[in-house]
Amino acid sequence: MGSSPLDAWIVNDDEITSLLAAEWDRQTTTVQLIASENFASPSVLAAAGSILTNKYAEGYPGRRYYGGNYVVDEIEDLARRRLTAIFGADHANVQPHSGANANVAVYEALLDPGDTILAMRLDQGGHLTHGSPASITSKYWKFVSYGVTPRSDDPAAPGEQIDFDNVRELALAHRPKLIVAGATAYARRIDPAPFREIADEVGAMLMFDSAHVAGLIAGGAHPNPVPYADVVTFTTHKTLRGPRGGAIICREEHAKKIDSAVFPGQQGGPLEHVIAAKAVAFKEASQPSFSVYTEQIVANAKAFARALANEGFRLVSGGTENHMVLLDLRDFDAELTGKVAQEVLDRAGITTNRNTIPDDPRSPFVTSGLRVGTSAETTAGMKENEFEAIASLMSRALRKRDDEDALVEVRNDIAALCANFNPYANFTK
Ligand SMILES: *Cc1c(COP(=O)(O)O)cnc(C)c1O
């Protein structure tokens, strides 16, 4: 298959080399619809696989606890400068190993144990680190959770949108020290302005967790929360299309506390090879071609949503304004769970994840929903037509889920589609 970064991965380890080849085959013969995934560029992969992995650099540029950091200092500084330039932020910390680490570091920086945080509930679209009982965050801070408005089948007044009356009521009743905006399973644009208004009303700080939409913000397809939020956290590997990792940008007044909370508060030595890859991704995200990419992500998601609705799936919130579509499977087939749908689609070469939907009657392990996203295959060059074709193949596979021959047929159709969209064909090196 066309150009492939595979040659760069021949390692002196037969078992790993052959598993990498198997994973390349999986990524390029099946369709990647997990909303939090993407295909990072060959330059990002090269930086992440570089000799910088050899260096210890505890501390920050100019203030390290080890010698020999004059090159690494320049790399980390470059990453921070590129990042603050993209979002117009005062200060950046590019060391968090993941989005979850970034969020915990912010809580640690801005709050005392036991303080109250108002955030979105997990089953309504929030993230584990927004206070789920399963997350360590709920052991150290007291969470109060807002949700979305009730379901509506009126296209003129779609429901399942962030309920700002609920946010305000809870804020007034509980006086949180921090309000968290941002979600992990929410297909609508999140406007930072009403969150700021409510935060000001109750004297709270505002954190915007833009893990999913950071790339859409960088490309200009979504509003920038930086003018409104005290702190913005994100992952670098979702729509932003960089290496796996996290980052924090904040107002100058919080800079020192944020830096101390990341190191030494939470982490040891930073991953400078990943920080170099983040710098590469930030440069890519500031190019005009990245805006073209993010516009296409959103256009593809809208076309995908329409096509899925035509196949009989109910769209949670009635549509999409970002890179993801959240499906309620019950109208399509009352018996079909998210868990079974994910497993059937896997056999048909369509990679997705089950997801709870607002007021889901099923458990988080089973669920009634499915989350799909367009950012990865948009990188591979797919457009509206291809996503319409995928919607029809998804529907076929799920309708004929007990017919092994039908699933093999869908898998072959998907492989034929993917053969025309090598994810590494569109990157210039
Ligand atoms: C993905 C995500 C995170 C966590 O990112 P990891 O890198 O997986 O730790 C945090 N918040 C939100 C809203 C997310 O979607």
Side-chain angles (χ1 to χ4, degrees):
M1 163 177 278
S3 67
S4 137
L6 202 57
D7 288 350
W9 309 332
I10 309 278
V11 292
N12 190 17
D13 179 329
D14 291 346
E15 286 153 294
I16 291 296
T17 299
S18 82
L19 288 169
L20 286 172
E23 175 63 7
W24 167 253
D25 188 62
R26 189 196 68 77
Q27 289 188 15
T28 54
T29 61
T30 66
V31 76
Q32 308 310 313
L33 300 180
I34 292 179
S36 46
E37 293 183 353
N38 214 325
F39 294 109
S41 75
S43 303
V44 166
L45 298 181
S50 70
I51 51 160
L52 293 166
T53 199
N54 300 337
K55 192 69 198 97
Y56 239 111
E58 282 184 353
Y60 289 98
R63 293 179 288 123
R64 305 282 192 185
Y65 290 80
Y66 292 84
N69 275 303
Y70 54 94
V71 180
V72 154
D73 277 3
E74 284 194 49
I75 289 168
E76 190 168 335
D77 250 339
L78 188 57
R80 297 195 296 192
R81 278 203 307 278
R82 286 179 178 173
L83 181 55
T84 50
I86 290 176
F87 293 95
D90 293 345
H91 179 75
N93 187 308
V94 293
Q95 293 192 0
H97 299 331
S98 73
N101 287 39
N103 287 352
V104 176
V106 172
Y107 301 158
E108 189 187 327
L110 303 182
L111 307 172
D112 293 316
D115 279 347
T116 301
I117 305 175
L118 177 60
M120 196 171 190
R121 220 168 73 204
L122 182 70
D123 68 299
Q124 305 273 300
H127 188 257
L128 286 160
T129 55
H130 298 179
S132 152
S135 158
I136 190 168
T137 55
S138 68
K139 296 191 174 71
Y140 289 95
W141 298 281
K142 180 174 171 259
F143 281 85
V144 178
S145 307
Y146 59 85
V148 295
T149 54
R151 167 180 173 172
S152 149
D153 293 321
D154 175 4
E160 294 160 310
Q161 321 257 329
I162 289 171
D163 185 345
F164 282 107
D165 292 339
N166 182 226
V167 177
R168 173 173 282 112
E169 244 168 65
L170 292 168
L172 288 167
H174 296 275
R175 298 276 159 179
K177 203 159 163 190
L178 180 72
I179 297 179
V180 177
T184 198
Y186 186 70
R188 294 292 172 169
R189 180 181 298 240
I190 299 179
D191 186 358
F195 276 108
R196 180 76 258 171
E197 227 172 85
I198 295 168
D200 285 344
E201 226 176 297
V202 300
M205 289 176 283
L206 177 63
M207 167 178 132
F208 197 104
D209 178 353
S210 62
H212 263 273
V213 293
L216 302 182
I217 296 165
H222 267 221
N224 184 358
V226 164
Y228 301 93
D230 291 86
V231 182
V232 177
T233 59
F234 54 93
T235 58
T236 46
H237 50 275
K238 296 180 184 173
T239 53
L240 199 54
R241 209 165 70 181
R244 306 201 72 75
I248 303 170
I249 44 185
C250 66
R251 295 184 175 168
E252 192 54 48
E253 66 193 275
H254 304 305
K256 264 186 108 146
K257 280 186 176 171
I258 292 285
D259 283 354
S260 312
V262 174
F263 173 85
Q266 226 200 99
Q267 298 186 166
L271 313 178
E272 291 295 341
H273 53 304
V274 176
I275 289 172
K278 288 172 182 172
V280 171
F282 299 152
K283 184 173 181 186
E284 291 175 356
S286 56
Q287 307 300 313
S289 59
F290 198 79
S291 300
V292 176
Y293 164 61
T294 57
E295 261 174 51
Q296 190 64 50
I297 289 177
V298 176
N300 284 347
K302 285 184 190 295
F304 199 18
R306 270 194 304 274
L308 288 163
N310 288 339
E311 295 290 341
F313 295 97
R314 190 182 79 83
L315 309 175
V316 173
S317 86
T320 179
E321 293 167 334
N322 57 22
H323 60 299
M324 72 169 78
V325 183
L326 193 57
L327 299 175
D328 175 352
L329 299 168
R330 293 172 300 176
D331 286 15
F332 178 81
D333 181 337
E335 303 290 304
L336 181 62
T337 65
K339 180 174 186 289
V340 167
Q342 178 194 311
E343 287 163 0
V344 167
L345 291 171
D346 247 342
R347 274 151 59 209
I350 300 170
T351 314
T352 63
N353 67 275
R354 62 175 175 273
N355 219 105
T356 50
I357 53 173
D359 307 313
D360 202 322
R362 296 187 174 112
S363 81
F365 192 72
V366 177
T367 82
S368 305
L370 196 72
R371 191 184 66 165
V372 289
T374 56
S375 26
E377 295 299 349
T378 303
T379 295
M382 290 193 189
K383 296 239 161 69
E384 289 88 338
N385 282 342
E386 285 75 37
F387 281 99
E388 283 158 11
I390 294 167
S392 125
L393 289 166
M394 277 175 67
S395 164
R396 205 163 97 202
L398 292 174
R399 280 182 210 287
K400 300 191 174 173
R401 60 184 180 272
D402 298 322
D403 176 349
E404 201 49 47
D405 292 344
L407 293 183
V408 169
E409 241 177 66
V410 172
R411 196 183 175 96
N412 290 339
D413 287 354
I414 287 284
L417 176 70
C418 290
N420 297 319
F421 294 93
N422 176 349
Y424 286 93
N426 300 320
F427 289 112
T428 44
K429 203 163 177 200

